[in-house]
Structures are given as C-alpha cells and as structure tokens.
C-alpha cells in the first residue's frame, strides 16, 4: 500500500478533494511529506511554453474582455481594452510575421467595427448613453476605422466567407492544443484548450460536461462498467498511476497534480476524435443556419420546418370541424381575437392575419355586409396598433394595407345604403345579421379612421429623409390620401352630422391651403391652349382651389361650434389668399378675425399655423410692393432669431436643461413635413431688403439725431458685422449682398445697389422662387430707384442751393412726375426743407437745417447737460440736508410718500407753516 493511503485517511473521498483547499496536517510522519508536496506544487507551475502560446493567450484574454464589454455596452471599457490589445499585438509582431495574422484577431476587428457602426446609427440608443460612453464610442469608432485599414484584405476575406475562416481557426487551434499536450503531457484526449473555451461554441459545453462527468466517476471509483471511452481511460490511468505511486519510492518527488492527470493515448485515437468532432461541428452549424434563415421573418420563437414548407396553424384553429358558421359564431370568434389585443406577448401580425381570415370566412358563407364592415373596422384599428409607440411611423407594407382596407370599407358603405355606422351606437344595439326589415347597424366611426390615417401619413413624411427618392415615393401617396378624404367628404355630406362635416372639411383644407394652383394661374394669364393630354384638360377644367377653399371655409364659418376648427380654417384661407397674391382679401380677413389678439392662448400646432400665415402674408405684401406692411408682418418672426423653430421646420440646438428628451420628442411630432416648408433664406432676404428700403432713408434723414430709433435690429446687426470685416471682398452670401447694396444706397448709387440685389446668384437663390419672377424684379428696381432718390436728397440737401428735377430724373432714371411726387411728399411731411419752383422745374433748398458741425455741437451740448444733471443728483444724495432726505423719501419710499400726501389733505399752508416752525420733529409726528 502506498504511503499516500497510509496517512490514516480511511475514506476514499480524499482523492476527489483538490490539493488547493487546505494544507495537510504537520504531524508525525506527514511532516516530511508536506514539505515535499509544497515543493512539488512550485515545480508544477514551471511549465515551458512557446512565445507564440504566450502572446496568443494574452491576445485571447483581451479579446474575451472586449466581447464581454460589448455585451453590456461599456464603451469606455472597450476603448481601454482595445488600446491594450493594439499594444499586445505590436509586441507579437515577430510571431505574427512568421505565423501570419491570427484569424481570431481578424474576426474581432470585423465584429467590433460592425458593432460600433450599428451603435452609431442607433440615434435613440446614443442619447441614452452617459457622457463617458458617448465620448468613448466616437473615439473608438475613429480608431477602429483607422486601424482596420491595415487589415482590409483579411477583413474582406473573412466577411466574404466567415465559415471557412472559423474552420481554419479551429483546425489551427486543435493542432496547437495537440502539440502542446504532447509536449507537456497535461492536456486530455479531446484537446480542449483555453482558446476553444473562449469561443463559447455549443460543442464546447458538451465536451466540458463530459470531462466533469468522467472526473466524478473516477473520483468515486465506481466499479460499474460504462460505454464511454473517456471514463474507461480515466479509470485505467488512475489505477496505473496509483500502482506506480505505491510501488515506487521516488514518487514522493512528484506532485499530486501529475499523479491525477491523464496520460496521452495511443496514436490512432486523436485522429478519430478529431474527425468526429469536425463532423459534429458542421452538423450543428448547418442546423443553426437553417433555424436562422427560417426564423428571421417571424416575431415568435424559431421553429424547425422540414422541407421549407410553412406551417399554417391558424386555419385549423379558427373553427372546429363541423361547426355551423353563422353571424353569432363569427362575432364570438371576433371578440376572442380582440380580447388578446394590447396584452403582453400578443403577436400583432398574427392577429391581423386572423382578422383577414375571419373576413374571408364571412364572405365565403355570405353572412352579409354588416359583419364584414365590423371586421374591417377592427382590421384597420389593429393596423394602427401595430406600432405601440406613438412616435413610431407605419411600415410601408402596413401603410399600403391600411389604405386598401379603408378604400374597401368605403366601397362597401357606398354600395350599401342600408348600413348605418356611428360612435353613438351601443354594442348591444348593433344589428349585424341579414334581415329585410331592419338595416345594418354597426358601431364605429369612419371619420376617426380617416383622421388617424392622415396623421400617420404626416408621421411617415416627418420620419423620411427629405432629400431621398423614398420621400418622393411616399409623397405620391398623398393623391390616394386626398382621394379617400374626398370620398369620405361626399359620404359625410349625405349621412354625417354638421360637426363631422366640419371635421372632414378641415382635413380637405389642410391638404389644399399650401399648394400653389398653377393651372388657375395659367388660366388667369391666358395660357390655356398649351395643355396637351386629355387628363391635363380635365384637370384644368376642374374647380379652382380658390373656389374649393372658399366653399369649404365659408361652411365652417357658418356651421362650426368649436373655435379651433374655425381658427384653423381662417388661417388656411388667409394663407391661400396670400400665396396667390390676393393681398387685400388676405389682409382684410386677418384684420376682421382679430386672431392676433388671443392667438397666444391657442395650442402649439395652431400657433405654428399662425406664424406660417403671417410669414406668407408678409411675402405677399412684398410681392405687391407694400414694403412697410411686409416688414411689419415679418418683424416678429425674424427679430426673435428662431424662425426655424417658430415655423415648425426644425429644432434649434439648446442646452439639455432647457429641453429634456421627452419634450424634444413632442416638438419633433409638431414639425411640418418638408414639402410644406417655407424657404428660410427667401424669408430672410425679403425681410432684410424690406428693412434696407426703410432703414437707409431714415438713417440719412436722422444722421445726427441722438434719439433716433432703430427700425430693424437684425438689419443693423448685419451692417455692424459687415463693417467689422478687415478685408472686404466681393459679396458671396445673401446677407453680404444686402449689406453691400445698403452701403451703395447710402451714397445714393442706385445702379450699384441694383447690381448687388438683382444678379445671377441672387436670382437663383431667391427671386426665381417667386411665381411671377419678372414682375417682382421690376418692382424691386422701382423701389430701389425711389428710395435712393430720397436718400440722396437727405444726404446732399445741405450742399445744393437748388437742383433741377430734370437732372434728378436722369440720375435715377425716373419719370419727372414720379420725381415731383416724391419731393412733394417729402416737403409736405417736413422731411425736406425746400420749395418747388414750378416754372423752372427746380427744387430750391432752404437753409434752415443745421450743418454737420452744428449738429455735432448740439449733440455735445445735450450730452453735457445730461452729465451735469446726473452729477447734481448724485451730489444731493450724498448730502445730509432735509431737502435731500425728503427727495429721497418721496422717490424711494412708497409708504412714506403715501403718508406724506395724506397729511397734505388738510391745509397746505398750515402744514408748510408748521414745517417751518416745528421743524423736523413736528413734521415727523404729523406725518406718521
């Protein structure tokens, strides 16, 4: 018997105990053995490994850490470990040059880059990240893209065939593990290595469980025979090692670890195990690929389908075999389906398919149109509920199904006049069965479904990139949406209430008010003969949008009882008038409605519509030459500096404290779709040109007035920005063009001003966007000539004694009557001190205006006077005299002033006398 078993341990459980748990007792004959054991443990740690194994193990450990960090989205940890990985790979450069880049390293680089790109595209996920993770994400993304350029060929080959790359890696790892096991005699027969465990393949789990099972059986020394080769080999090895340790005295110098480790098997067994393992890996992977390919489409758990034939489970479960299908049975089944609606775990797509199948069954059995209408209502509602998130928009296939279902529902309602639908019909009073005496009565509201469809269309347009072809394709669906609304309008006019008609009229108005009617515009210009196809002729012969808007809006004005619908209709009507240059109708409707008095109490969408209307009104006034009206209409929007946000065309960058994520989502849902936007550059240009035409003559007239006011702060800001520039080159942006034109107008040079305002660049950016481009340009030239004339007279009137109107007419290329009219207005308004000499057609200047030197002297005198007053006031406040005290009291203290006035109610003379005689004390007693 060996000395190991002679230590007095009578139970066999000590064999299975790990030698790492507790040191053996240092008593008697065991003392020497314990010393030997500790020496042996140190010896076992000295394992000779190649440099390649060391470096690759370091890389695999770092890769494992990175993959764990990827699972929990710890970007900071990923960045830190990736930097360490790059340094470790640099240390392994000599080995990599000999062996080649390891495939597991290429796999990590490819996976990490894909993972980072996926995170980067997830906008919602990025917002939820903390600051450190978000910063680490951007840094790591830049580093990995730069780093992967050196491995482009390897990554491309891996992505083209990841299966072969993985197989090659496994073969290489298995060869390495076999080589290391033959050298160190420590690996088991299956060649399980640390790298294979790191990969976490499914087969690794089964091999580990086998290893544990065989170890347990050998530890318990079970005598039962087992078919597993590993278990038999383990038992034989332990018996041999036990006999060797008991028979040989030199076994003391060996460690317990080497005693219990298995020896290498014969030369034939590893090759058999290797081929079996390869077959098993390939089989498992084929099964996984089949499951993934078939499980991508469904939302539920994956199912293994033989032969690729889908299993239709719904039809057999719809009704039991032999059931008589009637209205009551179908309604009961419909209620069963609807009960699962909204519950957790409900498959919404399957629910929609069930409802479609139920509708098909009711059609097959001729159960009547009543039950079909009810099922259609529920199908459309289920399509709307497919996205539980309110901010999410419908997918294209669901959107097409929704439009088709609403069209089919309207077809049924138009074909069957005996179907009555409404929200006020109770579930109990519904009549769905076919009967000749009673009409069908169905609970539901087709108008609500159409309104929800319109909102979904708006959400689709809001969430589509406006510069893509997809946006154009989605916008084509507006024709179908408007067609459905028109059909619903004709249906409601016959069967709907007044309130419902107003609601559907407003939906029609909202799809019409922002569109320019080019056919009506061409008809007004007499260009009707150019239409070619019959379809164009039919459309051109149709009703003008102005007539449609007038009819719908007037009905709402007369019949609507809710302020919101009427307010929206008025604003849309004004917008449409302004868009088609009907300035006076638009202005009168705005003034008569008094909307500007209480619009601040309206909800945000109505306020956005009001802002859009005011902007369109200002642009219309500009086109008509009403420069002052245009400036006044645009002043509020442009002076705020938030035109983009106020018009619902985008969000400004703000601090997170001012607007949290939830508020940002709400504001995004209020945005106007891109095809309804107003060009912000055109809007700013119109405002700045209007401000220039008003501000430059005013500045020239009040050049030396200290109390002159600013008409437009934004225009003055642009002038100051232009003056601050150290190097003045030719203007490039629209603002620079307006500033350069303003400087030319200030000097009275209208030709230079005209060249800066109207040129090819400004035409392409602004003026060509107007419907009547040429008329707008002619109006602008005329206004520039007139305002330049006024500026010239204001600036140089002190230089002239008299000037001929003929000369002014030639300078500014204006007719003499126009020059006469402008100068007469200036004289009447006392802007110009002059008189007209009619026989000689000259303007005689009067020397009543101060010169520039006198103006500067007057300004200096005013400033000195205000400075003296301030000094005296400060001096009085510092003195402790009674007068100063009472001055302070009456100006500063409100309560004391009140009491002092109450004392004066009696008799002022007596009070004054008392004040002189009694002094401060009597005054104080009387006052308080």
């Amino acid at each position: 018997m060996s000395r190991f078993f002679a230590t007095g341990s009578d139970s066999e459980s000590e064999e299975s105990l790990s030698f790492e748990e507790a040191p053996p007792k240092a008593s008697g004959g065991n003392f020497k053995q314990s010393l030997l054991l500790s020496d042996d443990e140190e010896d076992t740690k000295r394992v000779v490994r190649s440099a390649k194994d060391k470096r690759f193990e370091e890389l695999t450990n770092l890769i494992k850490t990175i993959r764990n960090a990827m699972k929990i989205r710890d970007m900071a940890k990923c960045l830190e470990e990736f930097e360490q990985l790059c340094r470790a790979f640099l240390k392994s450069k000599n080995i990599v040059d000999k062996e080649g880049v390891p495939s597991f390293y290429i796999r990590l680089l490819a996976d990490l880059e894909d993972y980072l790109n996926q995170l980067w595209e997830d906008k919602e996920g990025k917002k939820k990240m903390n600051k450190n993770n978000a910063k680490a994400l951007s840094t790591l993304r830049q580093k990995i893209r730069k780093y992967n350029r050196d491995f482009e060929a390897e990554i491309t080959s891996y992505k083209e065939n990841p299966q072969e790359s993985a197989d090659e890696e496994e073969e290489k790892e298995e060869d390495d593990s076999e080589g290391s096991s033959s050298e160190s005699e420590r690996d088991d027969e299956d060649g399980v290595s640390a790298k294979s465990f790191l990969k976490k393949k499914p087969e690794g789990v089964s091999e580990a469980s086998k290893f544990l099972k065989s170890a347990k059986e050998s530890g318990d020394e079970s005598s039962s025979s087992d078919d597993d080769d590993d278990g038999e080999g383990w038992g034989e090895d332990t018996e041999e090692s036990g006999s060797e340790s008991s028979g040989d005295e030199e076994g003391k110098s060996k460690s317990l670890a080497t005693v219990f480790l298995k020896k290498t098997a014969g030369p034939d067994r590893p090759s058999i195990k290797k081929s079996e393992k390869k077959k098993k890996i390939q089989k498992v992977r084929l099964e996984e690929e089949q499951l993934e390919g078939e499980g991508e489409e469904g939302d539920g758990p994956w199912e293994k389908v033989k032969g690729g034939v889908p299993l239709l489970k719904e039809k057999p479960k719809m009704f039991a075999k032999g059931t008589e299908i009637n209205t009551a049975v179908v309604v009961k089944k419909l209620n069963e389906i609807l009960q699962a609606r909204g519950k957790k775990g409900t498959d919404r797509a399957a629910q929609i398919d069930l409802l479609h199948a139920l509708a098909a069954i009711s059609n097959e059995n001729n159960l009547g149109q009543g039950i079909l209408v009810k099922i259609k209502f529920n199908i459309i509602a289920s399509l709307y509920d497919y996205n539980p998130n309110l901010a999410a928009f419908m997918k294209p296939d669901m959107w097409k199904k929704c439009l088709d279902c609403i069209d089919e529902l309207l077809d049924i309602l138009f074909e069957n006049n005996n179907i009555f639908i409404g929200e006020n019909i109770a579930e109990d009073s519904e009549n769905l069965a076919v009967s000749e005496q009673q009409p069908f009565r169905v609970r539901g509201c087709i108008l609500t479904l159409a309104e929800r469809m319109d909102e979904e269309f708006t959400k689709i347009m809001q969430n589509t990139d406006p510069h893509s072809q997809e946006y154009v394709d989605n916008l084509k669906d507006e024709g179908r949406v408007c067609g459905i609304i028109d059909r619903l309008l004709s249906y409601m006019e016959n069967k709907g209430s007044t309130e419902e008609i107003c609601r559907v009229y407003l939906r029609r108005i909202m799809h019409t008010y922002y569109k320019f009617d080019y056919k009506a515009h061409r008809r007004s210009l007499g260009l009707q003969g150019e239409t070619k196809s019959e379809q164009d002729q039919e459309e051109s012969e149709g009703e003008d949008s102005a007539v449609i808007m007038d009819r719908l809006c007037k009905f709402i004005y007369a019949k609507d009882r809710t302020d919101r619908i009427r307010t929206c209709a008025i604003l849309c009507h004004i917008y449409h008038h302004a868009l088609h240059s009907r300035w006076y109708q638009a202005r009168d409707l705005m003034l008569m409605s008094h909307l500007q008095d209480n619009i601040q109490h309206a909800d945000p969408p109505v306020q956005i519509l009001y802002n859009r209307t005011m902007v369109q009104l200002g642009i219309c006034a500009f086109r008509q030459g009403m420069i002052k009206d245009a400036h006044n209409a645009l002043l509020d929007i442009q002076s705020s500096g938030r035109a983009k946000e106020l018009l619902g065309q985008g969000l400004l960058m703000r601090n997170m404290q001012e607007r949290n994520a939830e508020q940002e989502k709400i504001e995004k849902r209020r945005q106007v779709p891109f095809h309804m936007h107003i060009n912000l550059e055109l809007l700013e240009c119109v405002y700045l040109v209007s401000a220039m035409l008003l501000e430059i003559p005013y500045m020239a007239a009040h050049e030396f007035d200290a109390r002159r006011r600013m008409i437009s702060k934004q225009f003055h800001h642009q002038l100051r920005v232009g003056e601050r520039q150290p190097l003045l080159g030719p203007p490039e942006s629209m603002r620079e063009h307006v500033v350069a034109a303003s400087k030319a107008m200030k000097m009275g040079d209208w030709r230079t001003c005209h060249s800066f305002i109207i040129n090819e660049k400004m035409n392409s950016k602004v003026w060509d966007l107007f419907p009547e481009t040429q008329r707008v340009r002619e109006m602008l030239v005329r206004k520039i000539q007139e305002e330049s004339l006024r500026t010239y007279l204001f600036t140089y009137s002190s230089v002239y004694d008299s000037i001929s109107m003929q000369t002014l007419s030639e300078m500014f290329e204006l007719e003499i009557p126009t020059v006469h009219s402008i100068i007469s207005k200036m004289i009447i308004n006392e802007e110009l001190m002059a008189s007209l000499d009619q026989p000689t057609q000259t303007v005689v200047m009067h020397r009543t205006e101060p010169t520039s030197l006198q103006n500067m002297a007057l300004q200096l005198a005013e400033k000195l006077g205000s400075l003296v007053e301030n000094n005296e006031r400060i001096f009085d406040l510092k003195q402790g005299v009674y007068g100063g005290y009472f001055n302070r009291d009456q100006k500063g203290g409100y309560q004391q002033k009140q009491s002092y006035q109450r004392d004066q109610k009696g008799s002022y003379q007596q009070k004054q006398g008392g004040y002189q005689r009694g002094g401060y004390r009597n005054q104080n007693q009387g006052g308080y």
Side-chain angles (χ1 to χ4, degrees):
M1 194 171 181
S2 67
R3 291 182 183 179
F4 177 74
F5 292 105
T7 54
S9 58
D10 53 350
S11 66
E12 294 175 356
S13 61
E14 288 186 3
E15 291 178 32
S16 61
L17 290 173
S18 172
F19 56 87
E20 296 175 357
E21 289 183 5
K25 296 179 181 178
S27 63
N30 286 357
F31 182 73
K32 186 177 180 181
Q33 187 178 351
S34 65
L35 293 176
L36 288 172
L37 285 173
S38 61
D39 291 336
D40 291 339
E41 285 177 4
E42 291 178 4
D43 292 338
T44 56
K45 293 180 183 176
R46 291 187 233 150
V47 179
V48 178
R49 288 190 299 166
S50 63
K52 175 186 170 185
D53 290 343
K54 286 182 183 177
R55 294 299 182 195
F56 280 15
E57 186 178 0
E58 184 183 2
L59 293 177
T60 50
N61 289 335
L62 289 170
I63 288 171
K64 181 180 179 182
T65 312
I66 290 174
R67 288 196 184 276
N68 289 338
M70 286 164 63
K71 286 178 185 174
I72 60 174
R73 291 197 174 193
D74 189 354
M75 291 296 104
K77 184 70 174 173
C78 269
L79 177 61
E80 180 185 350
E81 295 297 326
F82 179 72
E83 290 173 349
Q84 290 185 16
L85 183 67
C86 293
R87 289 195 288 270
F89 187 77
L90 196 60
K91 289 179 186 176
S92 312
K93 191 172 185 305
N94 295 331
I95 297 167
V96 170
D97 291 342
K98 292 179 186 177
E99 303 288 336
V101 182
S103 53
F104 62 82
Y105 191 73
I106 297 298
R107 182 192 297 181
L108 175 83
L109 294 181
D111 292 349
L112 185 57
E113 186 176 12
D114 294 342
Y115 174 76
L116 292 175
N117 289 335
Q118 184 180 356
L119 279 185
W120 189 261
E121 291 170 1
D122 185 11
K123 304 293 184 185
E124 297 295 328
K126 275 204 302 183
K127 288 179 183 176
K128 293 177 183 177
M129 282 186 181
N130 58 28
K131 189 176 179 182
N132 292 335
N133 274 349
K135 188 176 179 181
L137 174 62
S138 60
T139 308
L140 183 56
R141 183 169 172 265
Q142 291 174 357
K143 284 193 175 186
I144 194 74
R145 289 171 69 183
K146 186 177 179 182
Y147 190 75
N148 281 6
R149 287 174 194 162
D150 300 332
F151 304 98
E152 279 185 2
E154 292 89 343
I155 291 173
T156 307
S157 63
Y158 166 72
K159 286 185 177 178
E160 286 175 357
N161 201 345
Q163 186 72 27
E164 287 184 5
S165 304
D167 291 342
E168 289 172 7
E169 181 185 348
E170 283 171 6
E171 288 176 10
K172 191 181 290 185
E173 286 176 356
E174 285 168 3
D175 295 340
D176 294 342
S177 64
E178 286 176 6
S180 60
S181 65
S182 63
E183 288 173 5
S184 61
E185 296 184 359
R186 291 172 58 245
D187 287 337
D188 44 358
E189 293 174 5
D190 293 338
V192 179
S193 64
K195 295 176 187 176
S196 61
F197 275 103
L198 283 178
K199 292 192 307 178
K200 295 186 178 178
K201 295 291 179 183
E203 62 271 14
V205 180
S206 62
E207 295 299 323
S209 62
K210 286 180 183 178
F211 177 83
L212 290 174
K213 182 179 176 184
S214 59
K216 186 177 178 182
E217 288 170 357
S218 62
D220 294 334
E221 293 185 359
S222 60
S223 60
S224 59
S225 61
D226 201 353
D227 294 336
D228 191 2
D229 294 339
D230 294 343
E232 292 173 2
W234 179 264
E236 292 168 7
D237 291 343
T238 51
E239 287 173 8
E240 291 170 7
S241 62
S243 63
E244 285 175 5
S245 62
S246 62
D248 193 2
E249 287 293 324
E250 294 177 358
K252 297 176 185 177
S253 61
K254 295 185 179 179
S255 67
L256 288 177
T258 55
V259 169
F260 283 98
L261 281 175
K262 292 190 289 184
K263 303 291 180 69
T264 54
D268 298 332
R269 294 185 65 178
S271 60
I272 297 168
K273 291 287 179 182
K274 188 174 176 182
S275 60
E276 287 178 0
K277 188 176 179 184
K278 277 189 181 178
K279 289 178 182 177
K280 197 181 290 183
I281 288 169
Q282 290 174 358
K283 186 178 179 182
V284 171
R285 281 185 179 158
L286 286 172
E287 290 177 358
E288 284 179 357
E289 286 176 3
Q290 287 177 0
L291 291 175
E292 285 176 4
E294 293 166 5
E296 281 176 358
E297 297 177 0
D299 294 334
W302 290 350
E303 293 179 0
K304 187 174 179 181
V305 182
K306 294 181 180 179
V309 180
L311 298 176
L312 300 175
K313 294 183 179 179
E314 291 83 5
K315 285 189 177 179
K317 292 183 179 179
M318 186 66 72
F319 294 107
K321 190 174 182 181
T323 306
E324 183 184 355
I325 297 175
N326 53 28
T327 305
V329 173
V330 172
V331 170
K332 184 179 177 183
K333 191 65 183 178
L334 176 63
N335 291 329
E336 285 178 11
I337 297 170
L338 295 180
Q339 280 174 1
R341 180 179 169 190
K343 289 185 179 179
K344 189 176 181 182
T346 304
D347 187 359
R348 298 183 185 88
Q351 199 176 31
I352 294 169
D353 294 339
L354 284 173
L355 290 171
H356 277 293
L358 196 62
I361 290 171
S362 67
N363 267 337
E364 289 173 7
N365 293 275
N366 297 322
L367 298 181
Q369 300 297 331
I371 187 66
L372 189 60
V373 167
K374 187 171 180 62
I375 294 172
K376 289 285 182 187
F377 269 119
N378 287 293
I379 289 173
I380 297 168
S382 299
L383 288 168
Y384 290 145
D385 289 345
Y386 187 77
N387 289 324
N389 188 4
L390 187 62
F393 60 99
M394 293 179 78
K395 295 178 181 177
D397 53 343
M398 292 293 173
W399 171 245
K400 301 293 182 190
K401 284 182 185 177
C402 180
L403 292 179
D404 293 339
C405 282
I406 294 176
D407 268 329
E408 290 169 9
L409 184 58
L410 285 171
D411 290 338
I412 296 170
L413 293 176
F414 275 112
E415 290 170 3
N416 301 275
N417 289 326
N418 60 340
I419 300 177
F420 292 95
I421 57 173
E423 290 177 315
N424 53 355
I425 298 174
E427 294 279 352
D428 301 336
S429 59
E430 281 186 327
N431 182 27
L432 304 175
V434 179
S435 64
E436 296 179 358
Q437 291 82 12
Q438 292 182 346
F440 293 110
R441 291 171 61 83
V442 183
R443 177 178 173 80
C445 182
I446 184 68
L447 177 58
T448 306
L449 297 180
E451 287 176 339
R452 178 70 189 273
M453 172 203 67
D454 196 18
E455 292 168 6
E456 289 293 337
F457 176 72
T458 305
K459 278 199 284 188
I460 289 171
M461 302 311 295
Q462 286 172 345
N463 289 278
T464 309
D465 180 15
H467 305 292
S468 64
Q469 183 62 34
E470 184 185 0
Y471 191 91
V472 179
D473 296 337
N474 289 339
L475 191 57
K476 291 176 183 176
D477 289 336
E478 193 186 15
R480 286 195 68 184
V481 172
C482 291
I484 289 172
I485 292 175
D486 284 335
R487 294 183 67 193
L488 182 63
L489 189 145
S490 59
Y491 178 79
M492 284 295 173
E493 284 175 349
N494 295 327
K495 293 193 173 183
S497 63
T498 305
E499 183 183 353
E500 290 175 332
I501 293 173
C502 289
R503 281 166 61 189
V504 74
Y505 275 9
L506 182 63
R507 289 288 164 183
R508 187 68 182 87
I509 288 168
M510 295 299 282
H511 280 278
T512 308
Y513 81 97
Y514 63 90
K515 296 174 184 173
F516 187 81
D517 194 347
Y518 283 97
K519 292 183 174 62
H521 179 63
R522 292 176 66 183
R523 274 203 297 271
S524 65
L525 297 177
L527 302 174
Q528 181 61 29
E530 295 182 10
T531 54
K532 298 177 182 179
S533 64
E534 295 180 1
Q535 184 180 359
D536 286 344
Q537 288 181 359
E538 289 176 5
E539 289 179 359
S540 62
E541 290 171 2
E543 213 173 5
D544 286 352
S545 62
V547 178
I548 295 172
M549 288 288 295
D550 195 56
R551 176 170 58 83
L552 300 180
C553 289
K554 284 182 177 177
F555 181 87
I556 292 176
Y557 300 158
K559 304 290 185 181
D560 181 60
R561 293 192 295 272
T562 62
D563 288 337
R564 189 182 186 282
I565 293 179
R566 186 167 60 250
T567 301
C568 291
I570 292 172
L571 291 173
C572 293
H573 205 181
I574 295 168
Y575 190 104
H576 195 261
H577 279 316
L579 188 64
H580 293 84
S581 300
R582 295 189 287 270
W583 156 248
Y584 291 105
Q585 291 97 313
R587 184 198 63 180
D588 294 345
L589 190 55
M590 175 61 81
L591 293 176
M592 286 189 296
S593 64
H594 297 285
L595 287 177
Q596 59 272 19
D597 298 336
N598 53 7
I599 194 64
Q600 66 271 15
H601 303 302
D603 53 339
V606 178
Q607 290 185 15
I608 290 172
L609 181 58
Y610 174 80
N611 293 336
R612 286 167 53 79
T613 304
M614 287 303 297
V615 163
Q616 199 60 247
L617 201 59
I619 295 173
C620 174
F622 181 81
R623 289 199 302 267
Q624 300 301 313
M626 313 285 183
I627 303 299
K628 195 167 185 178
D629 291 324
H631 181 269
N632 292 337
L634 300 177
L635 180 62
D636 289 337
I637 301 294
Q638 286 297 123
S639 61
S640 66
R642 298 186 299 128
K644 187 177 182 181
E645 190 174 1
L646 293 174
L647 295 175
Q649 296 182 188
L651 299 179
L652 298 177
M653 296 300 293
R654 298 277 192 87
N655 295 331
M656 292 304 292
Q657 296 176 352
E658 295 183 20
R659 180 174 60 214
N660 56 30
E662 193 61 33
Q663 289 174 338
E664 191 169 346
K665 285 180 184 176
I666 294 170
E667 289 188 17
K668 279 183 179 177
R669 287 202 292 270
R670 294 175 185 150
Q671 300 303 301
V672 177
F674 182 76
H675 63 280
M676 298 169 64
H677 281 194
I678 297 170
N679 192 316
L680 293 176
E681 191 172 17
L682 179 143
L683 174 63
E684 188 177 9
C685 181
V686 166
Y687 175 74
L688 289 177
V689 170
S690 302
M692 177 190 76
L693 294 174
L694 295 173
E695 192 79 63
I696 297 298
Y698 181 80
M699 289 168 64
H702 302 83
E703 186 176 1
F704 302 105
D705 189 358
R707 294 187 178 86
R708 99 177 159 205
R709 59 184 178 82
M710 285 189 293
I711 297 175
S712 170
K713 288 184 179 179
Q714 190 180 3
F715 178 72
H716 276 275
H717 173 69
Q718 296 299 332
L719 286 181
R720 285 195 295 272
V721 169
E723 289 170 0
R724 283 197 213 108
Q725 290 180 355
L727 181 64
L728 284 178
E732 295 180 1
S733 66
M734 176 271 300
R735 294 174 182 174
E736 291 175 357
H737 276 87
V738 176
V739 170
S742 303
K743 290 178 180 177
M745 182 183 277
K746 197 183 286 186
M747 305 301 295
D749 187 358
W750 76 271
R751 288 182 178 85
T752 308
C753 178
H754 168 249
S755 66
F756 281 130
I757 293 294
I758 299 174
N759 50 54
E760 289 184 4
K761 190 178 284 187
M762 291 290 284
N763 285 344
S764 62
K765 282 186 177 181
V766 181
W767 308 125
D768 288 344
L769 303 178
F770 286 116
E772 299 174 352
T773 306
Q774 192 57 37
R775 196 168 67 84
V776 172
R777 290 200 196 99
E778 291 171 0
M779 180 274 298
L780 266 176
V781 173
R782 184 84 172 179
K783 287 293 178 184
I784 289 171
Q785 289 171 335
E786 292 175 0
E787 297 304 325
S788 298
L789 170 61
R790 295 181 72 232
T791 307
Y792 185 84
L793 289 174
F794 283 135
T795 306
Y796 300 109
S797 60
S798 59
V799 178
Y800 288 99
D801 285 330
S802 63
I803 185 170
S804 170
M805 281 193 284
Q806 181 69 32
T807 307
L808 292 174
S809 172
E810 291 171 359
M811 282 175 63
F812 295 96
E813 295 184 8
L814 291 169
E815 300 85 358
I816 291 180
T818 307
V819 175
H820 185 276
S821 171
I822 292 169
I823 295 174
S824 299
K825 286 178 183 176
M826 293 172 68
I827 294 172
I828 291 169
N829 295 330
E830 297 183 357
E831 294 174 341
L832 183 67
M833 297 302 171
S835 58
L836 286 172
D837 187 12
Q838 202 69 28
T840 58
Q841 292 289 308
T842 57
V843 183
V844 181
M845 303 296 175
H846 298 165
R847 293 291 182 183
T848 57
E849 299 168 358
T851 61
S852 59
L853 180 62
Q854 291 170 341
N855 276 318
M856 292 170 69
L858 288 172
Q859 287 182 18
L860 180 62
E862 286 181 4
K863 289 181 179 178
L864 287 173
S866 61
L867 184 63
V868 168
E869 288 178 6
N870 289 335
N871 283 338
E872 287 179 354
R873 192 176 297 116
I874 293 168
F875 181 74
D876 288 343
L877 289 173
K878 288 184 178 180
Q879 300 299 317
V881 297
Y882 296 146
Y885 175 81
F886 284 113
N887 284 338
R888 248 193 345 268
D889 192 23
Q890 289 179 9
K891 289 179 182 177
Y894 181 74
Q895 293 294 337
Q896 293 181 7
K897 182 177 179 182
Q898 289 292 101
S899 62
Y900 186 64
Q901 287 177 350
R902 280 201 304 273
D903 291 336
Q904 287 181 344
K905 284 183 182 176
S907 104
Y908 180 74
Q909 293 294 332
Q910 182 182 359
K911 182 71 180 174
Q912 190 176 10
Y915 171 70
Q916 289 176 353
R917 290 193 304 274
Y920 175 67
R921 183 180 177 187
N922 291 337
Q923 171 67 28
N924 222 7
Q925 289 174 354
Y928 298 109

